[in-house]
Amino acid sequence: MQREISTANDPGLRRDDRVVDHSRGHSPARATPKPRPLLIKPRTKPQSTPVRVLIVKLSSLGDVVHTMPAVQDIRARIPQARIDWVVEKAFAPLVARCEGVDEIIPCELRRWSRAPLSHETRSDWRTFRKQLRSVRYDAIVDLQGLTKSALIARAARTSELGRRYAMANRTHGASYEAPTRWVADVAIELEPHVHAVQRAREICARAFQYEMPPHLSFGLHAQVQPDVDRNAICFVHGTSRGDKCWPQMNWVLLGKRLL
């Protein structure tokens, strides 16, 4: 049976917040107003063991960057938290520049999916799974909302009171697949029209029951290259899909405006 949790005395949540807790239920039912996220709360006193948090956001470049402010929010509100991040290997160097990430767990689901039964894939998956399951997490947060991220969230281990959190519904302009909701202990319902940065921040704020910080920070450190002209401009034009390519003339016009 699905549990409904009152938030009448919880000033940290808006009246229209909705969270569906599946940890003791069966199939998800229609969300009811004003429940609250469970278990993990910021504490006023330091605890002996840091809260262990696993972020699951695998790809792509823009999506990874959009997730970084949520990590900074967790650091600001739960300073003792240890935050690990599962990400595609190609984007691991980018996550390494994100302040507050303790351990990066790289995976290669894209490559593995091309030859799922090969000896190399099976060997790499075993190595990845061993690293993923070497820690028990107090919270596993799936910010991707896809079947592949649900697979990772399910493979990771929780602590005795740990929970898996995910989105309960699709938001405008974002991909979404139902298994992410099925795997979650707590599925958080979101407004359909919300920016990707705000979506990730809101999921974490409601999962951990803190008020979202008023300032936005990506915590992204630039690479220092002393031999490069400090007035240089670098355009990152790569993409994983052709339909994301910007017309070449737009790059030319942008360059001219910056000169």
Short mmCIF file of all heavy atoms in Angstrom, two decimals, residues 33-77:
data_model
loop_
_atom_site.label_atom_id
_atom_site.label_comp_id
_atom_site.label_asym_id
_atom_site.label_seq_id
_atom_site.Cartn_x
_atom_site.Cartn_y
_atom_site.Cartn_z
N PRO A 33 -1.43 15.22 -2.86
CA PRO A 33 -0.79 16.49 -2.52
C PRO A 33 -0.07 16.42 -1.18
O PRO A 33 -0.48 15.72 -0.27
CB PRO A 33 -1.96 17.47 -2.46
CG PRO A 33 -3.11 16.79 -3.10
CD PRO A 33 -2.88 15.33 -2.97
N LYS A 34 0.96 17.19 -1.12
CA LYS A 34 1.68 17.52 0.10
C LYS A 34 2.30 16.36 0.87
O LYS A 34 2.33 16.36 2.07
CB LYS A 34 0.79 18.33 1.04
CG LYS A 34 0.32 19.64 0.47
CD LYS A 34 -0.27 20.53 1.55
CE LYS A 34 -1.47 19.89 2.18
NZ LYS A 34 -2.11 20.76 3.19
N PRO A 35 2.80 15.30 0.20
CA PRO A 35 3.69 14.41 0.93
C PRO A 35 5.08 15.00 0.96
O PRO A 35 5.32 16.02 0.35
CB PRO A 35 3.64 13.10 0.15
CG PRO A 35 3.22 13.48 -1.19
CD PRO A 35 2.52 14.81 -1.12
N ARG A 36 6.01 14.37 1.63
CA ARG A 36 7.36 14.90 1.70
C ARG A 36 8.39 13.82 1.44
O ARG A 36 8.12 12.64 1.60
CB ARG A 36 7.63 15.51 3.08
CG ARG A 36 7.54 14.50 4.20
CD ARG A 36 8.00 15.10 5.52
NE ARG A 36 7.92 14.11 6.57
CZ ARG A 36 8.43 14.29 7.79
NH1 ARG A 36 9.03 15.41 8.08
NH2 ARG A 36 8.33 13.35 8.70
N PRO A 37 9.60 14.22 1.00
CA PRO A 37 10.66 13.23 0.82
C PRO A 37 11.05 12.61 2.15
O PRO A 37 10.75 13.13 3.21
CB PRO A 37 11.80 14.08 0.24
CG PRO A 37 11.14 15.31 -0.27
CD PRO A 37 9.96 15.53 0.61
N LEU A 38 11.76 11.50 2.08
CA LEU A 38 12.01 10.70 3.28
C LEU A 38 13.46 10.72 3.72
O LEU A 38 14.38 10.91 2.93
CB LEU A 38 11.62 9.24 3.00
CG LEU A 38 10.17 9.00 2.61
CD1 LEU A 38 9.98 7.52 2.37
CD2 LEU A 38 9.22 9.48 3.69
N LEU A 39 13.65 10.51 4.98
CA LEU A 39 14.85 10.02 5.62
C LEU A 39 16.03 10.97 5.72
O LEU A 39 16.50 11.23 6.81
CB LEU A 39 15.34 8.72 4.95
CG LEU A 39 14.40 7.54 5.21
CD1 LEU A 39 14.89 6.33 4.45
CD2 LEU A 39 14.34 7.22 6.69
N ILE A 40 16.58 11.45 4.62
CA ILE A 40 17.85 12.14 4.71
C ILE A 40 17.61 13.63 4.88
O ILE A 40 17.06 14.27 4.01
CB ILE A 40 18.73 11.87 3.48
CG1 ILE A 40 18.96 10.37 3.36
CG2 ILE A 40 20.03 12.62 3.56
CD1 ILE A 40 19.75 9.98 2.18
N LYS A 41 18.02 14.18 6.00
CA LYS A 41 17.81 15.58 6.29
C LYS A 41 19.14 16.23 6.64
O LYS A 41 20.00 15.62 7.25
CB LYS A 41 16.85 15.75 7.48
CG LYS A 41 15.49 15.10 7.28
CD LYS A 41 14.62 15.33 8.49
CE LYS A 41 13.25 14.69 8.31
NZ LYS A 41 12.38 14.92 9.49
N PRO A 42 19.30 17.52 6.26
CA PRO A 42 20.49 18.21 6.71
C PRO A 42 20.48 18.34 8.22
O PRO A 42 19.43 18.53 8.82
CB PRO A 42 20.39 19.59 6.03
CG PRO A 42 18.95 19.71 5.66
CD PRO A 42 18.43 18.33 5.46
N ARG A 43 21.63 18.24 8.85
CA ARG A 43 21.70 18.27 10.30
C ARG A 43 22.47 19.49 10.77
O ARG A 43 23.39 19.95 10.11
CB ARG A 43 22.37 16.99 10.81
CG ARG A 43 21.67 15.73 10.33
CD ARG A 43 22.32 14.49 10.89
NE ARG A 43 21.66 13.30 10.38
CZ ARG A 43 21.94 12.08 10.82
NH1 ARG A 43 22.84 11.89 11.74
NH2 ARG A 43 21.30 11.04 10.32
N THR A 44 22.09 20.00 11.93
CA THR A 44 22.77 21.16 12.48
C THR A 44 24.08 20.78 13.13
O THR A 44 24.99 21.58 13.24
CB THR A 44 21.87 21.87 13.51
OG1 THR A 44 21.48 20.92 14.51
CG2 THR A 44 20.62 22.41 12.82
N LYS A 45 24.21 19.53 13.57
CA LYS A 45 25.43 19.05 14.20
C LYS A 45 26.14 18.07 13.27
O LYS A 45 25.49 17.26 12.60
CB LYS A 45 25.12 18.36 15.52
CG LYS A 45 24.51 19.29 16.57
CD LYS A 45 24.27 18.54 17.86
CE LYS A 45 23.68 19.46 18.93
NZ LYS A 45 23.42 18.76 20.19
N PRO A 46 27.47 18.11 13.19
CA PRO A 46 28.19 17.17 12.34
C PRO A 46 27.93 15.73 12.77
O PRO A 46 27.77 15.45 13.95
CB PRO A 46 29.66 17.55 12.56
CG PRO A 46 29.63 18.93 13.13
CD PRO A 46 28.35 19.02 13.91
N GLN A 47 27.91 14.81 11.81
CA GLN A 47 27.75 13.41 12.14
C GLN A 47 29.08 12.71 11.91
O GLN A 47 29.92 13.17 11.15
CB GLN A 47 26.66 12.78 11.30
CG GLN A 47 26.85 12.91 9.80
CD GLN A 47 25.69 12.32 9.04
OE1 GLN A 47 24.59 12.25 9.55
NE2 GLN A 47 25.93 11.89 7.82
N SER A 48 29.28 11.59 12.59
CA SER A 48 30.57 10.92 12.54
C SER A 48 30.84 10.34 11.16
O SER A 48 31.98 10.33 10.70
CB SER A 48 30.61 9.81 13.59
OG SER A 48 29.54 8.90 13.38
N THR A 49 29.82 9.84 10.50
CA THR A 49 29.98 9.28 9.16
C THR A 49 29.27 10.18 8.15
O THR A 49 28.07 10.42 8.28
CB THR A 49 29.38 7.87 9.08
OG1 THR A 49 30.01 7.05 10.07
CG2 THR A 49 29.58 7.27 7.70
N PRO A 50 29.96 10.69 7.14
CA PRO A 50 29.32 11.58 6.17
C PRO A 50 28.19 10.87 5.44
O PRO A 50 28.22 9.66 5.22
CB PRO A 50 30.46 11.92 5.20
CG PRO A 50 31.71 11.65 5.96
CD PRO A 50 31.38 10.52 6.88
N VAL A 51 27.18 11.62 5.06
CA VAL A 51 26.11 11.10 4.24
C VAL A 51 26.70 10.72 2.88
O VAL A 51 27.40 11.52 2.25
CB VAL A 51 24.99 12.15 4.06
CG1 VAL A 51 23.94 11.65 3.08
CG2 VAL A 51 24.35 12.48 5.40
N ARG A 52 26.44 9.52 2.43
CA ARG A 52 26.98 9.06 1.15
C ARG A 52 25.91 9.21 0.06
O ARG A 52 24.84 8.63 0.17
CB ARG A 52 27.42 7.59 1.25
CG ARG A 52 28.50 7.33 2.27
CD ARG A 52 29.78 8.10 1.97
NE ARG A 52 30.34 7.77 0.68
CZ ARG A 52 31.34 6.90 0.49
NH1 ARG A 52 31.86 6.27 1.53
NH2 ARG A 52 31.81 6.68 -0.71
N VAL A 53 26.22 10.00 -0.94
CA VAL A 53 25.27 10.31 -2.01
C VAL A 53 25.86 9.87 -3.34
O VAL A 53 27.03 10.15 -3.63
CB VAL A 53 24.97 11.82 -2.06
CG1 VAL A 53 24.02 12.14 -3.21
CG2 VAL A 53 24.38 12.30 -0.73
N LEU A 54 25.05 9.19 -4.14
CA LEU A 54 25.46 8.81 -5.49
C LEU A 54 24.58 9.53 -6.50
O LEU A 54 23.36 9.38 -6.48
CB LEU A 54 25.35 7.30 -5.70
CG LEU A 54 25.76 6.80 -7.09
CD1 LEU A 54 27.26 7.01 -7.32
CD2 LEU A 54 25.39 5.33 -7.29
N ILE A 55 25.20 10.32 -7.36
CA ILE A 55 24.50 10.99 -8.46
C ILE A 55 24.63 10.13 -9.70
O ILE A 55 25.74 9.71 -10.06
CB ILE A 55 25.10 12.38 -8.72
CG1 ILE A 55 24.97 13.28 -7.49
CG2 ILE A 55 24.44 13.03 -9.94
CD1 ILE A 55 23.55 13.62 -7.11
N VAL A 56 23.52 9.87 -10.36
CA VAL A 56 23.54 9.12 -11.62
C VAL A 56 23.11 10.08 -12.72
O VAL A 56 21.93 10.41 -12.87
CB VAL A 56 22.60 7.90 -11.57
CG1 VAL A 56 22.70 7.13 -12.90
CG2 VAL A 56 22.96 6.99 -10.41
N LYS A 57 24.07 10.56 -13.46
CA LYS A 57 23.85 11.40 -14.64
C LYS A 57 24.93 11.05 -15.62
O LYS A 57 26.09 11.45 -15.49
CB LYS A 57 23.90 12.88 -14.27
CG LYS A 57 23.48 13.80 -15.40
CD LYS A 57 21.98 13.71 -15.68
CE LYS A 57 21.52 14.83 -16.58
NZ LYS A 57 20.05 14.85 -16.74
N LEU A 58 24.59 10.26 -16.62
CA LEU A 58 25.59 9.60 -17.45
C LEU A 58 26.10 10.46 -18.59
O LEU A 58 27.28 10.42 -18.94
CB LEU A 58 25.00 8.30 -18.00
CG LEU A 58 24.41 7.35 -16.95
CD1 LEU A 58 23.73 6.17 -17.63
CD2 LEU A 58 25.49 6.87 -15.99
N SER A 59 25.22 11.20 -19.23
CA SER A 59 25.57 11.96 -20.42
C SER A 59 24.42 12.93 -20.71
O SER A 59 23.39 12.89 -20.02
CB SER A 59 25.80 11.02 -21.61
OG SER A 59 24.61 10.26 -21.86
N SER A 60 24.51 13.77 -21.73
CA SER A 60 25.70 14.10 -22.51
C SER A 60 26.33 15.36 -21.93
O SER A 60 26.01 15.72 -20.80
CB SER A 60 25.33 14.30 -23.98
OG SER A 60 25.00 13.08 -24.59
N LEU A 61 27.16 16.03 -22.71
CA LEU A 61 27.93 17.13 -22.16
C LEU A 61 27.05 18.18 -21.50
O LEU A 61 27.27 18.57 -20.35
CB LEU A 61 28.79 17.76 -23.27
CG LEU A 61 29.82 18.81 -22.84
CD1 LEU A 61 31.03 18.77 -23.76
CD2 LEU A 61 29.23 20.22 -22.86
N GLY A 62 26.05 18.67 -22.22
CA GLY A 62 25.17 19.71 -21.67
C GLY A 62 24.42 19.24 -20.45
O GLY A 62 24.28 19.97 -19.45
N ASP A 63 23.93 17.99 -20.47
CA ASP A 63 23.19 17.44 -19.33
C ASP A 63 24.08 17.31 -18.10
O ASP A 63 23.63 17.53 -16.97
CB ASP A 63 22.61 16.07 -19.69
CG ASP A 63 21.59 16.15 -20.80
OD1 ASP A 63 20.87 17.16 -20.86
OD2 ASP A 63 21.51 15.20 -21.61
N VAL A 64 25.33 16.95 -18.32
CA VAL A 64 26.27 16.83 -17.21
C VAL A 64 26.49 18.20 -16.56
O VAL A 64 26.46 18.35 -15.34
CB VAL A 64 27.61 16.22 -17.69
CG1 VAL A 64 28.68 16.34 -16.61
CG2 VAL A 64 27.41 14.76 -18.09
N VAL A 65 26.68 19.23 -17.39
CA VAL A 65 26.88 20.59 -16.87
C VAL A 65 25.63 21.06 -16.13
O VAL A 65 25.72 21.69 -15.07
CB VAL A 65 27.24 21.55 -18.00
CG1 VAL A 65 27.28 22.99 -17.50
CG2 VAL A 65 28.59 21.18 -18.62
N HIS A 66 24.45 20.74 -16.67
CA HIS A 66 23.19 21.15 -16.02
C HIS A 66 23.03 20.55 -14.62
O HIS A 66 22.26 21.06 -13.81
CB HIS A 66 22.01 20.73 -16.89
CG HIS A 66 21.85 21.57 -18.12
ND1 HIS A 66 21.13 21.15 -19.23
CD2 HIS A 66 22.31 22.81 -18.42
CE1 HIS A 66 21.16 22.09 -20.15
NE2 HIS A 66 21.87 23.11 -19.69
N THR A 67 23.71 19.46 -14.35
CA THR A 67 23.58 18.78 -13.06
C THR A 67 24.49 19.38 -12.00
O THR A 67 24.24 19.23 -10.79
CB THR A 67 23.91 17.28 -13.24
OG1 THR A 67 23.02 16.72 -14.21
CG2 THR A 67 23.76 16.49 -11.94
N MET A 68 25.51 20.09 -12.39
CA MET A 68 26.51 20.58 -11.44
C MET A 68 25.94 21.51 -10.37
O MET A 68 26.37 21.43 -9.21
CB MET A 68 27.66 21.24 -12.20
CG MET A 68 28.47 20.24 -13.01
SD MET A 68 29.84 20.98 -13.91
CE MET A 68 30.57 19.50 -14.66
N PRO A 69 25.01 22.40 -10.68
CA PRO A 69 24.45 23.23 -9.60
C PRO A 69 23.77 22.42 -8.49
O PRO A 69 23.81 22.82 -7.32
CB PRO A 69 23.44 24.12 -10.34
CG PRO A 69 24.00 24.24 -11.72
CD PRO A 69 24.55 22.88 -12.01
N ALA A 70 23.16 21.29 -8.84
CA ALA A 70 22.55 20.44 -7.80
C ALA A 70 23.61 19.90 -6.85
O ALA A 70 23.38 19.80 -5.64
CB ALA A 70 21.79 19.28 -8.47
N VAL A 71 24.77 19.57 -7.38
CA VAL A 71 25.87 19.11 -6.54
C VAL A 71 26.31 20.21 -5.59
O VAL A 71 26.56 19.98 -4.40
CB VAL A 71 27.05 18.63 -7.41
CG1 VAL A 71 28.28 18.32 -6.54
CG2 VAL A 71 26.65 17.40 -8.21
N GLN A 72 26.39 21.45 -6.11
CA GLN A 72 26.80 22.58 -5.26
C GLN A 72 25.76 22.85 -4.18
O GLN A 72 26.11 23.23 -3.05
CB GLN A 72 27.03 23.82 -6.12
CG GLN A 72 28.03 23.64 -7.25
CD GLN A 72 29.30 22.93 -6.83
OE1 GLN A 72 29.96 23.34 -5.86
NE2 GLN A 72 29.67 21.87 -7.54
N ASP A 73 24.49 22.66 -4.50
CA ASP A 73 23.43 22.83 -3.49
C ASP A 73 23.60 21.83 -2.36
O ASP A 73 23.47 22.18 -1.17
CB ASP A 73 22.06 22.65 -4.14
CG ASP A 73 21.68 23.77 -5.08
OD1 ASP A 73 22.40 24.79 -5.12
OD2 ASP A 73 20.65 23.63 -5.78
N ILE A 74 23.85 20.57 -2.71
CA ILE A 74 24.03 19.54 -1.68
C ILE A 74 25.21 19.90 -0.78
O ILE A 74 25.13 19.80 0.45
CB ILE A 74 24.24 18.15 -2.32
CG1 ILE A 74 23.00 17.73 -3.11
CG2 ILE A 74 24.55 17.11 -1.24
CD1 ILE A 74 23.20 16.47 -3.93
N ARG A 75 26.30 20.33 -1.38
CA ARG A 75 27.49 20.71 -0.60
C ARG A 75 27.17 21.86 0.35
O ARG A 75 27.66 21.89 1.48
CB ARG A 75 28.62 21.11 -1.54
CG ARG A 75 29.18 19.97 -2.37
CD ARG A 75 30.31 20.44 -3.26
NE ARG A 75 31.42 20.94 -2.46
CZ ARG A 75 31.82 22.21 -2.45
NH1 ARG A 75 31.20 23.11 -3.18
NH2 ARG A 75 32.85 22.57 -1.73
N ALA A 76 26.38 22.82 -0.14
CA ALA A 76 26.07 23.98 0.69
C ALA A 76 25.15 23.63 1.85
O ALA A 76 25.31 24.14 2.97
CB ALA A 76 25.43 25.08 -0.17
N ARG A 77 24.19 22.75 1.61
CA ARG A 77 23.19 22.43 2.63
C ARG A 77 23.58 21.25 3.51
O ARG A 77 23.14 21.13 4.65
CB ARG A 77 21.85 22.15 1.95
CG ARG A 77 21.23 23.34 1.24
CD ARG A 77 21.08 24.52 2.18
NE ARG A 77 20.20 25.54 1.61
CZ ARG A 77 20.34 26.84 1.84
NH1 ARG A 77 21.32 27.25 2.62
NH2 ARG A 77 19.50 27.70 1.29
#
